[in-house]
Amino acid sequence: MFIQTETTPNPATLKFLPGQVVMDMGTADFREPQEAAAKSPLAARLFEVDGVKGVFFGYDFVTVTKDDALEWPHMKPAVLAAIMEHFMAGAPVMAEQHDGAAPAADEEFFDAGDESIVATIKELIETRVRPAVAQDGGDITFQGYRDGVVFLHMKGACAGCPSSTATLKHGIQNLLRHFIPEVEQVEAV
């Protein structure tokens, strides 16, 4: 098994491509070892590597975020080994069926009168933003819309990325404003 790696705009995060489907539906984002242990054997294994502080699963990739104390040349072999051993053993990525649905705390919010605006926002995010962000090892999902402000949830390499503010303000905000005049700004939640 050959696992490719790619850098991301976030220097603390590397993208690992195992050459097979990781999550056939949705994504999964883990920031705590306890949550990972309860929900994903692969994420739990990755959190055992010294310095790992975040794991994100996309369709065909895994992004791993490290703490600032360690450097990638020291961590990368252990991360590669953990991913390879997991997939070679044929173990499941998630402990139970994961449908990609967000937990109740992350429920969407918007006024009923804004349904058509929200539908357009979601379509633009789904077709233009998410594919580009997935290339960088992350994901951005719609959280809500209120008073001209779009709220987005950043995951994977996007969470904590130094360039995420520029991505939000200069990329996504400009795109949404171009197509939807009612959008005034974009904020991360």
Side-chain angles (χ1 to χ4, degrees):
M1 175 178 209
F2 179 72
I3 301 172
Q4 294 180 332
T5 59
E6 295 178 0
T7 58
T8 71
N10 184 347
T13 303
L14 275 182
K15 181 178 177 181
F16 297 84
L17 298 126
Q20 63 188 60
V21 173
V22 176
M23 293 279 295
D24 57 355
M25 291 181 63
T27 60
D29 193 15
F30 300 98
R31 298 289 161 191
E32 298 292 330
Q34 299 80 4
E35 178 190 14
K39 295 182 179 178
S40 169
L42 177 55
R45 184 179 283 202
L46 288 168
F47 271 105
E48 291 173 1
V49 175
D50 191 33
V52 170
K53 71 173 193 178
V55 175
F56 178 79
F57 301 141
Y59 175 73
D60 63 350
F61 65 89
V62 175
T63 57
V64 176
T65 303
K66 68 174 188 66
D67 64 28
D68 294 332
L70 297 172
E71 296 300 322
W72 279 118
H74 300 290
M75 293 180 61
K76 188 175 169 182
V79 171
L80 284 167
I83 293 171
M84 186 176 297
E85 288 169 9
H86 183 85
F87 281 108
M88 295 296 281
V93 172
M94 300 300 288
E96 57 189 51
Q97 189 66 15
H98 178 75
D99 61 6
D106 289 340
E107 263 187 50
E108 294 179 357
F109 60 89
F110 57 90
D111 294 332
D114 293 330
E115 287 177 5
S116 65
I117 293 170
V118 168
T120 305
I121 291 169
K122 286 180 173 183
E123 180 183 349
L124 287 168
I125 290 170
E126 197 64 36
T127 59
R128 297 190 181 215
V129 176
R130 289 184 79 197
V133 172
Q135 291 286 337
D136 288 337
D139 195 15
I140 295 181
T141 55
F142 175 83
Q143 185 69 47
Y145 175 76
R146 184 170 293 131
D147 299 325
V149 180
V150 177
F151 297 91
L152 301 175
H153 190 213
M154 303 179 82
K155 302 174 185 177
C158 295
C161 177
S163 62
S164 64
T165 302
T167 300
L168 276 178
K169 297 298 178 188
H170 301 297
I172 299 168
Q173 182 170 285
N174 289 343
L175 171 77
L176 294 178
R177 280 178 164 175
H178 176 77
F179 288 100
I180 310 164
E182 293 85 354
V183 171
E184 296 172 14
Q185 64 182 22
V186 175
E187 297 291 332
V189 288

